[in-house]
Amino acid sequence: SGENASAETFARNLVVEWEKDTSNAIHGRTELAYALERNGKRQLSASLMNELHRDSDRMTARDRANVHYMDGLLAYERGKYDSALAGFDLGLRLAFGAPQYYRALALLKLNRVSEAIIELHRLAGYSLILNSPFDADFLPLSNRRPIFSVKAHYWLGVAFEGQGKKDEAIAEYRKFLDTWKAADFKSKELEDARARLALLTGTAAK
């Protein structure tokens, strides 16, 4: 899609810019690997990640955490949720405070619903404390946390609906839709939340 192509262009420019920083061993390559994967260029993405792992000896512990976390993200994109969770947890050894969106989704996909709900609740209510290890602001996609915090309500709705907790599901869908009520972009989550909410409230009214 155009969005994925734009993300790849942005990531390539990021690599060029970060290569000027000799203290940075990653140079934006994790972001580029993710953009390539989302753009259907899996072999190029895998090659880039192999390159990063080969360079890991000269990385800081924080840089290695970044690479491991990206391993988790790429595994998640490929539907390998056990591997995704392993990558997330390895990457999060230095990021022991902040909840993580894709870790929560991996737990949900693995039917570890109670754990996923805890992580999603934390994400929905998390505020940055300006402490890097806790905020995990050095990990891939950390700049998307405000978006992920909103989407957490959608996934909480899905989780509660799967448990048969209609009232809780309805409340979370409404929070999600109310937050993005003026959205001028297309979103699968928005469309699905509207459909699920209509079905649940229609069922509840009978």
Side-chain angles (χ1 to χ4, degrees):
S1 70
E3 181 182 351
N4 289 335
S6 297
E8 182 181 334
T9 299
F10 176 80
R12 288 188 183 279
N13 291 335
L14 196 63
V15 170
V16 173
E17 182 64 27
W18 281 7
E19 282 177 342
K20 302 172 186 175
D21 181 5
T22 57
S23 67
N24 185 312
I26 293 180
H27 302 313
R29 287 178 289 173
T30 48
E31 285 81 359
L32 180 55
Y34 185 70
L36 289 168
E37 178 72 23
R38 294 292 298 268
N39 232 359
K41 300 176 181 179
R42 181 168 294 183
Q43 287 186 325
L44 288 174
S45 176
S47 176
L48 196 54
M49 290 304 296
N50 287 337
E51 178 184 295
L52 281 162
H53 281 289
R54 287 195 298 270
D55 290 347
S56 64
D57 288 346
R58 64 186 183 90
M59 292 181 185
T60 64
R62 183 172 294 190
D63 285 341
R64 284 194 293 272
N66 191 302
V67 172
H68 288 309
Y69 193 84
M70 182 53 69
D71 285 332
L73 279 172
L74 294 173
Y76 180 87
E77 289 293 326
R78 296 165 188 167
K80 298 178 179 179
Y81 303 119
D82 282 313
S83 297
L85 199 59
F88 294 149
D89 287 345
L90 192 57
L92 286 167
R93 286 179 178 176
L94 282 181
F96 46 82
Q100 299 295 317
Y101 179 72
Y102 282 106
R103 183 178 187 277
L105 298 195
L107 287 166
L108 200 57
K109 299 286 187 181
L110 291 168
N111 204 32
R112 292 166 61 173
V113 181
S114 296
E115 294 172 78
I117 287 173
I118 291 171
E119 190 81 344
L120 289 165
H121 268 307
R122 293 182 64 227
L123 181 61
Y126 189 80
S127 297
L128 297 177
I129 62 172
L130 304 181
N131 180 295
S132 193
F134 279 94
D135 291 337
D137 56 12
F138 54 88
L139 291 176
L141 308 185
S142 60
N143 62 326
R144 301 186 191 179
R145 183 173 286 120
I147 294 173
F148 293 155
S149 293
V150 178
K151 286 188 175 183
H153 290 295
Y154 165 77
W155 286 107
L156 280 167
V158 172
F160 285 133
E161 187 178 352
Q163 291 182 325
K165 298 178 179 179
K166 290 184 179 180
D167 290 341
E168 289 91 336
I170 288 170
E172 293 299 336
Y173 289 139
R174 282 179 171 159
K175 287 177 187 175
F176 173 64
L177 291 169
D178 186 59
T179 303
W180 276 357
K181 59 187 174 185
D184 58 355
F185 53 85
K186 290 185 178 180
S187 164
K188 292 186 294 185
E189 292 93 345
L190 280 171
E191 292 177 6
D192 191 53
R194 290 189 187 104
R196 288 173 179 267
L197 183 59
L199 183 61
L200 285 171
T201 52
T203 301
K206 292 182 181 180

